[in-house]
Each structure stands twice: as C-alpha cells, then as structure tokens.
Amino acid sequence: LFTYNTNLFSVAPDANVIMLWERKFSLPRLDLIEDDTDNWSHGVDRFPDAPVISPIWDAPTLIDYGPLMGSLVQTGRIGDSTLRAEWRVYADQPFIELRLRVYWRATKQLLKLSWELPGLRNSRIDGIPGGSLRRENDGREVPLRDWMLLRTMTIPAAIISSNIFAVDVTPFRVRLTLLRSPLQTYHIPFTPAPERATPTDQGVHDFHIRFYAGEELTPEYLDQQAAMLHRSPIIADWT
C-alpha cells in the first residue's frame, strides 16, 4: 500500500482497491475474451461481456517507497500470455499510474482492461482526433484518442493513455481494448490458407495508463496531460 498527499492517492492490489481523492474505486482488472471476428471486426459493434479467463497474479513486490514516488510490481499470467504490472503513485500528482507489459501469445482472443465504476452518468467525453466527442455509455466499441472523461455519481474520473485506441463503456464499467489476435488479413467470409494463418499483435507490448479523479478535470486539462505522455523528457548520461 502506498500513500501520498495525506491519503488522497493509494493502491492496494491485494485488496483490489485504489484510492483517488479519498474515494475508493475497484482496482482495474484484465479480462481475456473470445474474439471470433475477422481482422476488422466487420458486422460487430461490441464484444462479449463475460471473460473466459482472468489473470493469475503473484504477490506484489515493493520496489520504491521514497519521498517522490512509490511503486510495486506484480507478475502473472493470463491464458498463454505473461504479465508484468507496475503500479505507481507520485507525490503531488493527481493520478495513479499503471505500467503494464504483456507478452501476448493468444489466438482469436481479446485483452481488455476493465474498471468497474457503478453509477456512471449516461454519457462521457472521449478524446478523438482533433478534439473530443460526447458519447452515450451504451456498450458499443468505439475508437479513442488519448483520454476519456467519466461522470460518476460522486466525482468525475478520467483515464489517460497514449497507446490505447478503443474502448466500450456501460453505466457500470469501462473496458479499454489492449490487444486482439484475429488471423492476419482474415476477412469474413474469406478464410486465409492455414499454413499462412498468423494471429496479430504477437510479442511484447507496453501500456502506460493513468487514472484520475477530481472536480477540476476538463478536456483541456486531459489533453495537456496526454501531450506530456507523448512528449516525455529525453534523458542521456553523457560521460
């Protein structure tokens, strides 16, 4: 458990809880879902709700606990894929950060990061290319650019990531689409030759995700925070 800013931000994976502005939220979780759609998911506007596999995690290990940043790491597995999740909290920063590495080995499956938020309002604001768009929380899979602003019954919440590009939302949860593994160039009803059928997204993938809550959250603020993720400082040790 890490605590900074007088208990405003903390994360406890063993208890499946994160704390944002003294309000408890469930810990986001990974879900592996069957995906029989083609390379472009033609004719489909949403994916199944029920996961077929949930991850198995090792015990978290404390890595950092200094005056500026605290972190812990968990390793695990979901299906045939391996996982490494590093949770961070920073002094004087209004978010909890997840740095997730997935060694993806799935076929015809989909990996979602799900965050349960009961009591979401009927709509949200999503980042899209060139601006933002208000959308209904109707469970449809839609494109995403950098961030989303959610209205809960208690406090606004937000998610920022520079390397997640699709999401679906209902009044009870948010699901970020991380990885898919349909067969490459598979376009229903045309089936690729078996000897050339290669699933997509295989290998190592890194995700950088931040979870926010607070009354001051605005699209302009989230755009600024997302730009900082895209343009991180370049550091060199020159001797």
Side-chain angles (χ1 to χ4, degrees):
L1 174 68
F2 311 121
T3 303
Y4 284 91
N5 298 355
T6 62
N7 298 327
L8 294 180
F9 301 92
S10 62
V11 57
D14 285 347
N16 292 319
V17 168
I18 61 175
M19 186 81 74
L20 295 163
W21 286 113
E22 298 183 316
R23 289 172 172 84
K24 286 186 178 180
F25 293 87
S26 64
L27 189 78
R29 71 174 191 271
L30 291 170
D31 291 331
L32 194 65
I33 298 166
E34 293 293 352
D35 179 12
D36 291 325
T37 63
D38 66 18
N39 213 152
W40 300 270
S41 295
H42 282 116
V44 172
D45 71 352
R46 66 197 64 218
F47 292 105
D49 282 328
V52 293
I53 299 176
S54 297
I56 298 172
W57 292 103
D58 301 324
T61 301
L62 183 68
I63 302 297
D64 304 289
Y65 194 54
L68 298 179
M69 187 267 285
S71 68
L72 61 76
V73 168
Q74 277 187 296
T75 57
R77 176 178 294 275
I78 188 166
D80 294 329
S81 303
T82 57
L83 308 168
R84 183 184 186 275
E86 180 175 347
W87 292 95
R88 292 185 177 187
V89 290
Y90 298 86
D92 302 320
Q93 296 298 321
F95 57 80
I96 290 174
E97 183 175 271
L98 171 61
R99 298 192 177 202
L100 176 67
R101 172 165 289 183
V102 182
Y103 190 173
W104 185 240
R105 298 170 179 170
T107 301
K108 293 187 177 180
Q109 291 178 322
L110 170 74
L111 186 65
K112 289 266 194 181
L113 183 70
S114 301
W115 195 20
E116 292 184 358
L117 294 169
L120 282 175
R121 305 285 184 179
N122 291 331
S123 65
R124 66 189 187 276
I125 301 176
D126 287 350
I128 62 170
S132 61
L133 181 66
R134 185 174 296 276
R135 287 172 167 154
E136 299 298 312
N137 295 332
D138 57 7
R140 292 186 305 117
E141 184 84 1
V142 293
L144 183 70
R145 191 270 302 171
D146 289 345
W147 59 265
M148 58 192 317
L149 178 57
L150 305 153
R151 299 288 178 179
T152 73
M153 293 299 182
T154 56
I155 191 172
I159 303 172
I160 292 179
S161 179
S162 58
N163 38 34
I164 293 176
F165 308 104
V167 67
D168 74 86
V169 185
T170 72
F172 307 101
R173 54 103 181 111
V174 176
R175 295 195 306 177
L176 301 164
T177 301
L178 305 186
L179 296 164
R180 292 182 64 230
S181 54
L183 302 180
Q184 291 186 18
T185 70
Y186 172 35
H187 184 176
I188 292 174
F190 304 105
T191 303
E195 62 273 13
R196 294 177 180 163
T198 304
T200 64
D201 284 351
Q202 301 298 290
V204 177
H205 299 265
D206 290 306
F207 300 93
H208 193 176
I209 309 162
R210 290 177 176 175
F211 302 90
Y212 292 72
E215 298 293 344
E216 78 288 350
L217 296 174
T218 64
E220 294 76 17
Y221 174 80
L222 298 176
D223 266 329
Q224 180 189 55
Q225 294 292 304
M228 292 166 64
L229 286 184
H230 280 291
R231 304 166 187 166
S232 58
I234 297 174
I235 301 170
D237 184 4
W238 188 266
T239 58

